[in-house]
Each structure stands twice: as structure tokens, then as C-alpha cells.
Amino acid sequence: MSGTSEREVGRSRPRKEDARLVTGQTNWTDNISVNGLLHLAILRSPMAHARIDRIDVTPARERPGVVAAFSGSDLAEGLGSLPCAWPVTEDIVHPDHPPIAVDEVRYAGDPVAVVVARDRYAAADALEFIEVDYAPLPPVLDLEAALAEDAPLVHADKGTNRCYDWPLATGEDYATVRERADVVLHRRYVQQRLIPNAMEPRAVVVTPLAASGEYTVYSSTQIPHILRIMLSVVTGIPEHKLRVIAPDVGGGFGSKLQVYGEEALALAVARRLGRPVKWTESRSEGYLATHHGRGMIQDIEIAATREGKLLGLKVDLLADMGAYLMLVTPGIPILGAFMYPAIYKMDAYDFTCTGVFTTRTPTDAYRGAGRPEATYAIERIMDELAVELGLDPIELRRRNWIGHEEFPYTSIAGLTYDSGNYEAATDKALALFGYDDLRAEQQKRNERGDIVRLGIGVSTYTEMCGLAPSRVLRDLRYSAGGWEAASIRMLPTGKVEVVTGTSPHGQGHVTCWSQIAADVLGVPFEDIEVLHGDTKTAPQGMDTYGSRSLVVGGAAVHHAGQKVVEKARKVAAHLLEANEHDLEFTHGVFSVKGSPDARKTIQEIAFETFSSHDLPDGMEPTINAEHLVDPENFSYPHGTHLCAVEIDTETGRTTIRSYVCVDDVGRVINPMIVEGQVHGGVAQGIAQALYEEAVYDDDGNLVSGTMADYLVPSAADLPEFVTGRTETPATSNPLGSKGVGEAGTIASTPAVVNAIVDALRPLGVTEVAMPCTPQRVWQAIEEASA
């Protein structure tokens, strides 16, 4: 009953979770079925903006299998406004956000009525019989036009479509720095709206226990603990009467970092009827109702000397909030505010973000959440500056990045980067990529005037993740903290239960937390069970987002394990009749220095504690422990991504010929899982560059509302990835890890678009709007030639 001498951390362990997942022994929310279960269907507005003059649900109530039907006014009592936890300024415009519309709809997809039936098909069919009279109101779609004095208003009672203005100015005065610059470039970039596509659609099941007034809410969510608090606020049900369970969750990418109206509606209906209720979105329904990502206009100005030294950066953003402020909607662009200077040194930085209401689906967190947008802008304009100065894009970056010997380094945006080595990551990426050979080939092909052009794209990045020190969140006006909790229970048989406040949805927490605990406790990896995602089993936690799980939640596991060892040390010393300071603890075994035969394993100690026959006087009969971590800093992964594309100038088709990424994510717990996270992240970044876009027509209707119209790439659409790593351990957590969940997405989009523009620049093309579809690429070539 003792551990092995081989360390677990650093091993490519196959995931514990996978056997159950791949054999279908899963418990998705939609799989849950209980006695008396009713099914909820939601009628959604077909109009982007309209007044509701009349709504009659009576005909739906008369349909076969229907148990009840409710309008917004029927459910208004007992349902408060959906929460926004991040009011980024004191004077932010914060409209009420009812879970179901009562008087006015503000985006196509806004709920207006619900039907409850004995099966989902009867519920869906009955929606067609609800009668609604709408009085159309003008849609608000263009971010700049929305700010005009005579613009139609999304929320007429607020008198403006301007949600907030958030400024950040650091270093020297930007205008002064600009005056001494030899080169000043201005560019405008548009971050198109993206629609999250988790493999598992959203779903919620609510089961009431009428006798005690308790409710269990099963939801496909990333945030069971936060959801519990917020549902209590919205419905008035006491928090201790709510249990939230995130069962198996099939992906999220930020889209399940949310408190959705459907969760509140299901809870309200279950309370009203005293029956269990289930709602599962269809894929097309999710395109309308699941929050969108990105959606902003970036005006970027960079000032530099003739030699290529950066002097200053000015950023002005218009950020699309959509129709309402959801959980962290206003704060997403603000996360990016600290990342526009990226890995570069400069003298002045001036940032302003203006949030704007529109009559579109609300935006919120999507993989990377503000940081991909920032990295895209700075890496695109760095390439433009390199062209202006006649420098290789790598050389320009070398002249301006923070040197490895300068860490820890406080960036112009005020963040303290604790460790990094941009030189090492870039050199390794260049070698794997064959950069010089590709540049030589490119030159020859350009000289020949080849129809198929070769382009090379560079993206050097860092990001802030591991959200987040609670005091920093306080200063940013975020309502909650950034701590995380873990506890470790040593069972009498020597097995171990690790309870974590983080809630996985595909990241491999169970495997990695087992590896961390195995090394600290010296018990076999196989003897550890990880419990999560249930507010009763794991009552404390701040959940999963912002690449925080490992660097905050994993650190909590590490510290809890150390506490267990120290408690066990006292028992071992007593049993071995030795001084605590004379005990060594190695690979799960306490032994007396100089007397190796005097030994006790930590698993033997667990049983001795259970029996409590011979414990030190005054000691509680347990070696279990818990720990809460409040991180002292963010973590800062970094790396270099290189992309080579070939573009057929006659058709506009872009093919990724090679893609190399070298990431530094600090100390790696499980290389196989890191590899998977990088692959998935890069795929999503490429998707923004080449494929995905939420498109609205002039009336505010989503015209890319199905998978036939919204292009999600498959594995067949993606290249082989060549990956590599360098390692500069983080100094802000005991694991030395930096987080990897969002890195690939943050770095990849500008690498691809830089490559496309690089291929077409000899033809006079300087910009292609994302996604860079064949039509857009071909059109850019035609316009340049004209």
C-alpha cells in the first residue's frame, strides 16, 4: 500500500475519464430522466426588435400532451433580472434582463413564451399555436451608427446605446510620444462575431422536493457554484435549498460560463408545477440563444522610430454587448485591455473601450475572452510596421520584446510578468518551421509570378490567465473573488478522494489532479478518485474558465495534500516513537532517519487514524485537509506560432501548408493533455481566421443560424500541427504551471491572417477581413489589381 518511485507529474498518462466517455457510459444532462419528468420548449422572437402587443398561450394549452403554457407576464412574478457580475464602471448603463420578455423583444431569439408537455415533441409542436402580435421597432446593428444622437435605442428607458467608456492610460503621454515618432501607423480590424459550438448542446433538468422546498438543478455548465448563487438571486429560492450539479459536460469554450434564462425558467416552472422539468436546446436554437463571442471594431495606432523601436500604442475599441449584459459581458474586452502591448516594451499606452448595445444576441466569454482579440490586433499591426520599415517580421519583434534576463518585468499595461523566454520559444519554432528555407522559396515563387502564392505568418504572444487574484478583481469591479478550494480525504482502506471546486468539461482534471495528489501523498495514481461539479459534494469553488483550473485549483490540491502529509507526520512520529523532525517522507513512506526499518506508509497512517487506538494526545482522528488558494498573480504562458499558407490567386482558396507552434506553459503536468489542448485551441483560432462568422441581415435576423451556413471546420479541414515546448516555470504557484486551455486560440488567428496577407502583399493586398473565405480573398486580389 505504498506509492511508486516514479513521479506522476510530467507523465503522459491516458485520461482516466476517457474509458467511460468513449464507451457511452456518460451522464449528459439530456440523458437524465426521472419519474414525472416534463419537457420545456421555448417560443422565441422571430424579430430583432419589437413591442409585444398581444400574446395568447391558450391555444397551446389545448394541444395533446401539453400540461401548461406561460407567457412572460405569467412568469414575471418571482423571476428577477438575470445577473451581470462585472459592472466595469461606476456609471455603466445596466438594463434589466428578464429571463423571458414581457413587453419588448430585443434580439431574434429572445424568449417570449414557454410550453410544458409530457414529451419534447408535443412541447415543440404546441409552440406553433401560440399567438403573438408584434409591433416592429427599428433594429440597431451598426456599432458606430448606434452611438449617433438620433439612433434608435435598444433600451428606450436608458436614453442611450452607450453602455460604458473604460479608459486606461499608462506610461508617458501618448500624444507626446507620438510627436517624436518617425513612423505612425493606423489600422482598423474587425473581430467578427463567433458562435460557440460545444459538442454537447446546453441542457437543464430541475427536480423539486416539495416537502422541503429543495431543488436539484442539473445543468451543462462550467460554473455550478456561481450558478447556484445567481439562481438564488434571480428566483428568490434560498441558496441552501438549491443543489447544482454539472454532470458530464461536453465542452463549453466559455459558452457555458453563464447564467442563462433557460436555467431560471426551468427552475421557475418546476417550482410552479411541483414537477421535474427538462429543457435541451436544438443546435439551431443554440445559435440564437447561446451567447456569442468576439464582436468588436479595433482602431489601432502604433508609433515607432525609424530603427524599429516601439514608442507607443493607442487602442480604441467599440465592443458589441448585444441586447443585454450577461454574466461577464462588459468585462470581456477589458481583459484584453492588458494584453494589447503583449510581449513588447514601449513608452506609452493609451486604451479606451466603448461598450455598445445592439439588437443582437448578447456577447460574453468565448475561448480566450478578450486576449485573442488583443493578440490579433498587435500581431497584425506589428507585421504592417515591419513592412513599413523594411524589416523581417521576426527581426522587428526581436528588437522590441522583453529579454529573458529582464524577468520579472512589469509591462506598460501594469502587469508583472513573472517568467518567460521569448527568444528560446521563437528560435525553436523557427528551426521546426524551416523559416529561412520557406522565405527563400517564397521569394522565388514571387519572382516567377506563380499563380499559387506562398505566405508566411508570425504570431508571438503572451496571455494573462489563471484568473485571478481577488484584489485585482476587486479593483476591476468584478463581483466575485478568484480563489479556489480543494480538499483531500484519506479513506481507511488507503484510497484517496480529492474534492475540487473546479468543474471540468473536457480538460482532463480528473487525471491531472490524480497525478498531482499522487506525487504529494506518495500513493498510487490508481488509488485516487476526483470528485467535482456538485455543490453538495464540493460545496466550495469558483469553477472553470480563464485557464484557471490548474494554476489555481491544482495548486489548492497540492497545498491540501501537503497539509495531509503534515498531519500524518504527527501520527507517524507518535507511532514510531520518534521526533517529527527526524522523520523523512519519500514516496508515501515515513521513515526514521538512520533507521530505515522503522517506517509507516501514509496509507497505514490513514487506517491508524480511522481506528484512533493510538493517536497523539489532543489530536483529532483525521488527517483529512482542505485548502483555499487565492492566487498572488496571473500566470503568463507565451510562445511563437508560425503558419505557411498557399493561396490560389485564381480561386482565392487558402490552404495551410504547415503550422508550427512552440508554447511555454510552464511546468507540464501531463504532456498528452497539453498537446490535446494546444491542438484544440489552434483549431478554434484557425476557424476564426478562415471559416466562422455570425452573419446578420439588415433586419437583425441571424442568417448563419445552422451548421449549413455557419462553417465549423472538421479535422479534414485542418492541417497537421507541429508542436514543441519550452519551459520557464511560473513563480506564482507551487506547481510552476501557467495554463494552456486558451493559448492555441490566442496565438493562431493572427498567424494565419498574417500569412494570408503576406502571400498577397506583392499583389497589392494589405488586408483581408475575417473570415478569409475564398470569396473575400479573391475579391481582395481583384480590388488590388484594379
Side-chain angles (χ1 to χ4, degrees), residues 398-712:
R398 288 188 192 278
R399 294 185 185 187
N400 289 284
W401 63 35
I402 302 156
H404 69 275
E405 72 283 352
E406 297 179 84
F407 290 95
Y409 185 91
T410 301
S411 77
I412 189 70
L415 299 177
T416 300
Y417 300 167
D418 62 326
S419 67
N421 191 328
Y422 309 140
E423 304 97 309
T426 302
D427 288 345
K428 187 169 185 177
L430 293 172
L432 290 171
F433 191 62
Y435 185 83
D436 292 338
D437 290 342
L438 281 168
R439 282 292 185 202
E441 180 187 344
Q442 179 189 43
Q443 183 175 349
K444 291 178 182 178
R445 290 170 66 164
N446 287 344
E447 290 170 352
R448 290 196 305 264
D450 283 6
I451 291 173
V452 177
R453 295 299 179 112
L454 174 64
I456 298 167
V458 178
S459 175
T460 52
Y461 80 100
T462 189
E463 62 146 325
M464 54 187 286
C465 64
L467 301 178
S470 294
R471 291 183 179 181
V472 173
L473 293 177
R474 172 202 64 193
D475 294 342
L476 292 173
R477 301 180 61 84
Y478 183 65
S479 299
W483 52 268
E484 194 48 77
S487 61
I488 292 182
R489 303 196 288 246
M490 296 291 299
L491 305 181
T493 54
K495 309 304 182 185
V496 180
E497 290 179 334
V498 175
V499 182
T500 175
T502 62
S503 185
H505 45 282
Q507 297 91 335
H509 292 186
V510 170
T511 302
C512 289
W513 278 216
S514 296
Q515 290 179 271
I516 293 167
D519 278 356
V520 176
L521 301 173
V523 302
F525 171 83
E526 295 77 12
D527 286 353
I528 299 171
E529 184 76 13
V530 178
L531 307 177
H532 57 80
D534 182 339
T535 60
K536 190 169 185 178
T537 303
Q540 296 186 100
M542 290 302 293
D543 305 318
T544 297
Y545 41 86
S547 300
R548 71 184 303 273
S549 293
L550 176 60
V551 298
V552 189
V557 172
H558 174 88
H559 285 298
Q562 288 186 321
K563 286 183 175 180
V564 168
V565 171
E566 291 312 305
K567 284 186 175 183
R569 184 185 299 276
K570 296 181 183 299
V571 179
H574 176 76
L575 295 174
L576 295 171
E577 298 181 344
N579 189 292
E580 287 182 41
H581 302 294
D582 291 334
L583 291 185
E584 295 178 332
F585 181 69
T586 308
H587 306 311
V589 177
F590 291 99
S591 60
V592 181
K593 295 176 184 176
S595 303
D597 293 336
R599 62 199 304 272
K600 288 282 184 182
T601 69
I602 195 169
Q603 292 169 299
E604 289 171 332
I605 297 295
F607 185 81
E608 295 283 357
T609 308
F610 165 72
S611 70
S612 300
H613 292 169
D614 189 12
L615 294 182
D617 292 341
M619 183 173 179
E620 291 180 308
T622 180
I623 57 173
N624 298 343
E626 68 175 8
H627 192 88
L628 276 74
V629 167
D630 198 337
E632 63 186 60
N633 193 3
F634 297 96
S635 72
Y636 301 98
H638 69 81
T640 296
H641 287 219
L642 301 171
C643 178
V645 301
E646 292 186 320
I647 298 177
D648 186 330
T649 58
E650 293 183 338
T651 65
R653 182 182 179 186
T654 298
T655 302
I656 297 179
R657 172 170 150 176
S658 62
Y659 194 100
V660 168
C661 51
V662 173
D663 297 287
D664 190 323
V665 297
R667 189 180 181 201
V668 171
I669 305 300
N670 186 313
M672 186 186 302
I673 289 177
V674 166
E675 191 86 352
Q677 288 288 309
V678 169
H679 281 208
V682 170
Q684 283 187 278
I686 291 173
Q688 178 174 8
L690 296 180
Y691 299 106
E692 298 187 23
E693 182 179 23
V695 179
Y696 286 82
D697 66 16
D698 293 341
D699 294 321
N701 299 307
L702 181 67
V703 297
S704 56
T706 71
M707 281 191 168
D709 308 296
Y710 186 92
L711 302 182
V712 180

